[in-house]
């Protein structure tokens, strides 16, 4: 599904190009649960921004279902994101003055859906992430873990082909992190493809495949053994 070949990315500072990703070769299949680890500044966010069609200014090839992502213009990239990718961030990125219903509605409102169909769908989405009766609440009236669940429901709204989560447990205590990881595992078992960046080895060990990045290069790519659980 996702196929990066010799991907390089540099940021310009003045006249100097600073390489941030160096010859990335990466293949991710539908149905995988991948964790990307590495120190701060190693290029993890840059990499997943490319994977999620947020950044198409790179060198090399990215084939998504055999389409050439480097050739996407802004409108195509944005349409591909809305159709195929769900994003989850460290700080939830909910809109504070919209209630939970309206937050989950945002990605659905692009598709010309009828409000009555959407109402049922939003209740189902919230239910699937373990939330009931929160539709009329504001984000600030929910706990951090609940807000992240709303963000995950929103990310799933258009039935994306894959979820990208950038440090999804980075702002949560260890107990709440474990709950969110259980939710990711359940979603994965239901068929959702997940690509997650994390600093936390405990969190990464919940995935099936651990990719380590250092200084813009993939230094290891290993299967995670679940033999003992
Ligand atoms: N928009 C940008 N302009 C210039 N440099 C950037 C930009 N975004 C990231 N960088 C630099 O690229 C490197 C990798 O950043 P990033 O991908 O955010 O790393 P990580 O997510 O692993 O912490 C860092 O040195 C960072 O300072
Ligand atoms: Mg980052």
């Amino acid at each position: 599904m996702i196929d990066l070949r010799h991907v390089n990315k540099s940021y310009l500072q003045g006249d100097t190009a600073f390489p941030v990703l160096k010859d990335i070769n990466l293949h991710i299949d539908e149905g995988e649960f991948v964790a990307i680890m590495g120190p701060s500044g190693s290029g993890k966010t840059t990499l997943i921004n490319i994977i999620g069609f947020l950044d198409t200014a790179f060198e090399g090839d990215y084939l998504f279902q055999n389409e050439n992502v480097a050739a996407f213009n802004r409108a195509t990239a944005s349409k591909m994101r809305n159709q195929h990718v769900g994003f989850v961030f460290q700080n939830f990125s909910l809109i504070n003055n919209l209630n939970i219903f309206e937050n989950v509605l945002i990605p659905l409102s692009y598709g010309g859906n009828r409000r009555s169909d959407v109402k049922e769908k939003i209740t189902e989405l919230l239910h699937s992430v373990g939330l009931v009766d929160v539709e009329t609440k504001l984000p600030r009236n929910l706990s951090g873990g609940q807000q992240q669940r709303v963000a995950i429901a929103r990310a799933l709204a258009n039935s994306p082909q894959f979820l990208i989560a950038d440090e999804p447990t980075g702002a949560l205590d260890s107990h709440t992190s474990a709950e969110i990881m259980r939710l990711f595992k359940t979603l994965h078992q239901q068929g959702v493809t997940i690509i997650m960046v994390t600093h936390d080895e405990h969190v990464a060990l919940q995935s099936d495949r651990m990719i380590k990045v250092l200084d813009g290069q993939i230094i290891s790519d290993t299967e995670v053994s679940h033999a003992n659980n």
Side-chain angles (χ1 to χ4, degrees):
M1 177 172 67
I2 289 165
D3 201 358
L4 279 73
R5 297 181 189 171
H6 304 296
V7 166
N8 286 274
K9 167 91 192 174
S10 301
Y11 285 112
L12 274 181
Q13 261 165 27
D15 292 339
T16 318
F18 284 92
V20 175
L21 295 179
K22 303 167 194 162
D23 196 30
I24 298 287
N25 293 288
L26 177 61
H27 186 95
I28 297 173
D29 275 323
E30 211 166 334
E32 286 202 69
F33 184 1
V34 180
I36 299 174
M37 294 195 75
S40 197
S42 56
K44 305 180 299 294
T45 295
T46 305
L47 175 60
I48 58 170
N49 284 349
I50 290 174
I51 293 174
F53 319 125
L54 277 165
D55 179 1
T56 56
F58 55 84
E59 288 156 41
D61 293 311
Y62 172 12
L63 300 176
F64 176 75
Q65 296 177 334
N66 296 320
E67 283 192 77
N68 176 13
V69 176
F72 289 174
N73 61 24
R74 196 185 280 252
T76 309
S78 146
K79 184 167 151 244
M80 291 293 285
R81 277 200 303 279
N82 194 49
Q83 282 181 350
H84 297 300
V85 196
F87 289 94
V88 177
F89 302 98
Q90 176 168 353
N91 51 12
F92 326 133
S93 298
L94 300 177
I95 299 183
N96 291 324
N97 58 342
L98 296 182
N99 70 25
I100 301 311
F101 179 90
E102 292 159 341
N103 267 279
V104 181
L105 178 65
I106 294 168
L108 291 168
S109 56
Y110 298 110
N113 300 286
R114 281 170 42 204
R115 196 169 169 99
S116 55
D117 294 344
V118 159
K119 197 165 185 299
E120 200 172 318
K121 168 136 196 169
I122 288 175
T123 303
E124 272 170 29
L125 280 164
L126 289 167
H127 199 195
S128 74
V129 298
L131 294 172
V132 284
D133 292 338
V134 295
E135 282 86 335
T136 59
K137 294 187 175 163
L138 288 170
R140 66 167 170 274
N141 294 320
L142 300 186
S143 68
Q146 288 174 317
Q147 290 186 53
Q148 194 59 301
R149 287 172 191 272
V150 174
I152 294 167
R154 180 184 58 184
L156 293 169
N158 283 328
S159 310
Q161 245 135 333
F162 59 98
L163 273 193
I164 285 185
D166 197 352
E167 309 264 7
T169 63
L172 303 174
D173 64 61
S174 61
H175 175 76
T176 312
S177 285
E179 285 179 2
I180 292 295
M181 288 315 298
R182 271 199 292 280
L183 173 58
F184 277 127
K185 278 189 117 164
T186 304
L187 293 170
H188 174 242
Q189 281 158 5
Q190 292 166 355
V192 180
T193 306
I194 303 173
I195 303 166
M196 171 185 70
V197 166
T198 181
H199 264 97
D200 186 335
E201 181 107 19
H202 281 296
V203 166
L205 285 170
Q206 306 297 310
S207 75
D208 292 341
R209 176 178 172 193
M210 212 192 287
I211 293 171
K212 290 193 174 155
V213 177
L214 184 66
D215 296 333
Q217 290 180 300
I218 292 177
I219 55 164
S220 73
D221 185 345
T222 52
E223 209 175 303
V224 177
S225 161
H226 297 294
N228 299 320
N229 13 316

